[in-house]
Amino acid sequence: MASANCWRCLARPSQRITLPTSLLATSSPAAPTAAFTTSATQYTKAMRPAPKSKAKVVGDGGMSRHIRAGKMLILNSKKKRSPDKFKPPASGERKAFRKRIQLTNDNALEVKGLPELTAENIIDSESVGKVIGFPGELIDQLRASEAFKATQNWSLFRSPHLLVRQETVDLAKQLTEAASKKETLRLVLNGERAAGKSILGLQAQAAAFLNKWIVINIPEGQDLVTAATEYAHIPNSEMYSQPTYTIKLFQAISKANHAVLSQLKVELDHLHLPISVNRGTSLAALATATKEPEFAWPVFQSFWRELMQPGRPPILFTLDGLSHIMRVSDYRTPSFDLIHSHDFGLIRLFTDALGGKSKFPNGGAVLGVCTKGNTPILPSFEKALEQAIAARDGQPLPPRDPFYRKYDERVFEAMNGVQVLGVRGVSKAEARALMEYWAASGILRMRVDEKSVSEKWTLAGSGILGEMERVALYDVRMSM
C-alpha cells in the first residue's frame, strides 16, 4: 500500500514542536488527535490567528512536522511617481518658440551715428561698405511680409541694421530701372551656402517698400509642396488651390502694403465672387474681404487682376526656396497620383511670371531665391540654372545628359530666359565695416584691425557672411 507521506520527509529526523494547549482543539470531544502530519494547510490554519467570532483553529496535537515557508510574489509593486507639476506646452507652442523672431536686444549697446535706409542711398555707390539702419515703419513692413528669418542673428543687436554690399546696390538699380521702363525683371539669386542670399532678398523687399511698390512674399516655398497645408480642386480646371495658405498670404499682403493698397480703388466688376465687391472699394478692403477658405482663391484672382490694371504701382513677387517648387509635390489627386508643384495656383502664378509667360504691365520684378542648406537634388533645375549662368556669361549652353530621360520640361519653361545674380563673399572692406559694427554693439570683444579682419575673412572662406558670423560670434550665440 502506498504511503500518504513523502519518503524523503520520513527519512529526516523529526522535530518535536510543542504547541500551547490553547491551540489544541477538536471538532468533537471524541475526535482523535492527529499524531503526525506533514500537511502545510493544517499548519497554516494552526498558526493563523483565530477570528473573534469564529471557531478555533484545529492544531496538530504538538506532534513533529516538516514545513517550508515560502514568499509571496507581489506584482505591480513599482512605486507610483508623483505627477509632474509643470504645465505641458500647448498645441503649436514649441513650433512658435522655435520659429520666433526677436529683432531687439536691450543688452546690446546702441550704435549711434549710423544713417537710416532711404530710397536714395540704397542705390548710391558710395553706400557700399557701410552699415545702415532700418526705419521703424520699414521694420514693421518687413516683419509683416515675413522677410526676417529665424536663423538670422537679429536678436544679438539693439536694432536691425544691414550691410550695403555691391550686390545690394546692383539689385536696387535693376529694380529701379525695371520700374522706370515698365518692364518685368526676372531674377534668380544663387550662390554658396550662408552667402547671404536671403538677406539680399530682404534688401530687395526693403528697396521695394521704400519706393512704394506692392510686395508679395512667399517666405518658404517648401511650405507649399510638402503636404503641410490644405488644398482643394479648382472648378473647371486641372489646378489646385491652397485656401488656408492663401488667406494667410492675404493677411500678410494687406498688413505690409496697407499704406499703398488703401489709396487704390477697385475698377472692375467682380460679379462672379460669392461676396459683394463694389467699385470704389479700396484694394485693402478687397484683401481682407473674406476669411472663408472656400472663397480665398477666387478673391485672390480678382485681387491679382486689379493689380494688373494700368496706373497701378510696380509689383515685387518674391519666393525663398526656389528649388522646392521645381519638383513633384507630396500632394495627391483623388486617384492617388502625385501632383506637380506647378499645378497649384500660387506656384503657377509665380512660375508663369518667372518664365515670362505673364508680365507686369506697370513694371516690377519676380525674384526667386535659391537655398543651399535644405535643397532637394533636382537634375532638371540644376541643368536649367547652369544654362542660365552660361547665357549670362556669354558661353555656350551646356547640353543635357543624353542618358538621363527624366528631365522635367516644365522646369525649363519656368527658368527660360531668367537672369542669375551670383552672391559671393563680401570684400575685406565690407567685412571690416561689419566687424566694426559688431564691436560697437558690444558683441565682438576684440581689436578690429587689418590682421583680425584678414584672419576672419580668410577663415570664413573669402568672406562668406554666415561663416564670418560663426567664426566671430559663435561664443556669443552659445552663451545666449
Side-chain angles (χ1 to χ4, degrees):
M1 180 177 178
S3 174
N5 299 321
C6 176
W7 288 104
R8 182 175 298 177
C9 296
L10 294 175
R12 294 178 180 177
S14 61
Q15 297 178 358
R16 307 290 296 183
I17 301 177
T18 305
L19 297 178
T21 311
S22 60
L23 296 178
L24 297 177
T26 56
S27 58
S28 63
T33 303
F36 181 80
T37 180
T38 59
S39 174
T41 305
Q42 292 185 8
Y43 175 75
T44 305
K45 293 180 179 180
M47 298 302 296
R48 185 180 302 168
K52 295 181 179 180
S53 60
K54 293 185 178 180
K56 295 182 179 180
V57 180
V58 179
D60 57 356
M63 305 301 293
S64 62
R65 54 191 171 167
H66 174 66
I67 301 103
R68 289 184 178 180
K71 294 183 178 181
M72 184 179 296
L73 179 62
I74 301 176
L75 300 177
N76 298 329
S77 60
K78 295 182 179 180
K79 296 182 179 179
K80 295 183 179 180
R81 296 181 178 179
S82 59
D84 297 331
K85 296 182 179 180
F86 65 88
K87 183 180 179 181
S91 177
E93 187 174 351
R94 286 193 180 100
K95 182 178 180 181
F97 181 80
R98 186 175 67 252
K99 293 190 173 184
R100 66 170 185 162
I101 298 175
Q102 181 180 350
L103 299 180
T104 58
N105 183 9
D106 295 338
N107 296 325
L109 299 178
E110 183 179 359
V111 183
K112 299 181 180 180
L114 297 180
E116 284 190 350
L117 188 66
T118 61
E120 291 77 18
N121 58 16
I122 198 172
I123 60 175
D124 191 0
S125 300
E126 296 181 357
S127 301
V128 177
K130 296 182 180 180
V131 178
I132 300 178
F134 288 102
E137 183 181 357
L138 181 59
I139 293 176
D140 295 338
Q141 290 178 308
L142 293 174
R143 181 191 282 273
S145 64
E146 299 184 20
F148 298 104
K149 303 290 183 181
T151 56
Q152 298 165 356
N153 296 321
W154 303 106
S155 60
L156 297 180
F157 306 97
R158 191 63 174 261
S159 60
H161 288 73
L162 65 90
L163 172 66
V164 180
R165 308 169 55 176
Q166 184 62 44
E167 291 86 350
T168 306
V169 176
D170 295 341
L171 179 56
K173 288 183 178 179
Q174 293 183 24
L175 294 176
T176 305
E177 184 178 358
S180 60
K181 295 182 179 180
K182 292 189 177 181
E183 297 178 351
T184 304
L185 175 64
R186 300 181 290 121
L187 187 64
V188 173
L189 299 181
N190 185 42
E192 300 181 14
R193 182 180 180 180
K197 300 181 293 296
S198 297
I199 293 291
L200 196 59
L202 180 145
Q203 295 173 356
Q205 296 182 47
F209 280 125
L210 292 173
N211 288 281
K212 306 302 180 182
W213 288 25
I214 297 176
V215 178
I216 302 175
N217 179 43
I218 299 178
E220 290 292 342
Q222 185 178 4
D223 295 342
L224 297 175
V225 297
T226 54
T229 183
E230 295 84 353
Y231 67 109
H233 182 262
I234 300 177
N236 303 324
S237 69
E238 298 179 354
M239 297 173 58
Y240 296 84
S241 65
Q242 294 165 310
T244 304
Y245 190 90
T246 304
I247 290 180
K248 179 182 176 182
L249 183 62
F250 250 144
Q251 295 173 354
I253 294 172
S254 175
K255 190 174 181 180
N257 305 275
H258 182 76
V260 179
L261 294 178
S262 59
Q263 299 177 359
L264 303 177
K265 305 300 180 180
V266 175
E267 298 179 355
L268 300 176
D269 294 326
H270 304 282
L271 302 178
H272 64 285
L273 292 179
I275 58 176
S276 60
V277 178
N278 301 324
R279 288 192 177 187
T281 306
S282 64
L283 293 187
L286 179 61
T288 58
T290 178
K291 295 182 180 179
E292 300 295 333
E294 58 268 21
F295 304 151
W297 180 245
V299 175
F300 188 84
Q301 287 180 312
S302 301
F303 178 77
W304 184 260
R305 285 194 293 268
E306 289 289 340
L307 295 180
M308 296 296 108
Q309 296 301 311
R312 303 298 192 186
I315 300 174
L316 176 63
F317 199 178
T318 63
L319 184 142
D320 201 342
L322 181 62
S323 56
H324 289 284
I325 67 169
M326 296 296 176
R327 66 177 182 90
V328 178
S329 70
D330 297 335
Y331 293 93
R332 293 183 179 271
T333 62
S335 59
F336 209 69
D337 296 329
L338 290 173
I339 304 175
H340 198 281
S341 299
H342 295 183
D343 289 334
F344 288 95
L346 285 175
I347 298 179
R348 176 73 66 84
L349 203 65
F350 181 84
T351 54
D352 287 349
L354 184 65
K357 292 184 179 180
S358 61
K359 297 182 179 181
F360 301 154
N362 302 302
V366 184
L367 184 64
V369 182
C370 298
T371 177
K372 298 296 182 181
N374 178 24
T375 178
I377 300 176
L378 302 172
S380 301
F381 179 70
E382 294 176 359
K383 182 60 66 175
L385 197 59
E386 290 179 6
Q387 293 179 353
I389 295 174
R392 179 198 64 187
D393 300 337
Q395 299 178 358
L397 301 181
R400 303 184 186 181
D401 187 0
F403 299 100
Y404 186 76
R405 299 183 179 181
K406 296 183 180 180
Y407 283 116
D408 192 352
E409 295 296 335
R410 305 178 75 171
V411 175
F412 288 98
E413 292 178 1
M415 295 289 291
N416 181 28
V418 299
Q419 302 181 28
V420 180
L421 178 60
V423 184
R424 299 179 296 272
V426 297
S427 62
K428 288 188 177 181
E430 296 170 351
R432 178 159 189 165
L434 191 61
M435 291 180 63
E436 289 176 351
Y437 170 71
W438 292 346
S441 299
I443 305 300
L444 183 62
R445 299 183 180 181
M446 63 178 300
R447 183 177 181 180
V448 180
D449 53 9
E450 185 177 354
K451 180 181 178 181
S452 61
V453 171
S454 180
E455 176 187 357
K456 302 300 182 184
W457 185 86
T458 305
L459 291 176
S462 300
I464 301 298
L465 282 179
E467 298 299 330
M468 282 191 62
E469 292 178 353
R470 182 176 301 178
V471 170
L473 307 179
Y474 182 77
D475 296 336
V476 180
R477 292 176 59 188
M478 290 297 293
S479 61
M480 292 190 64

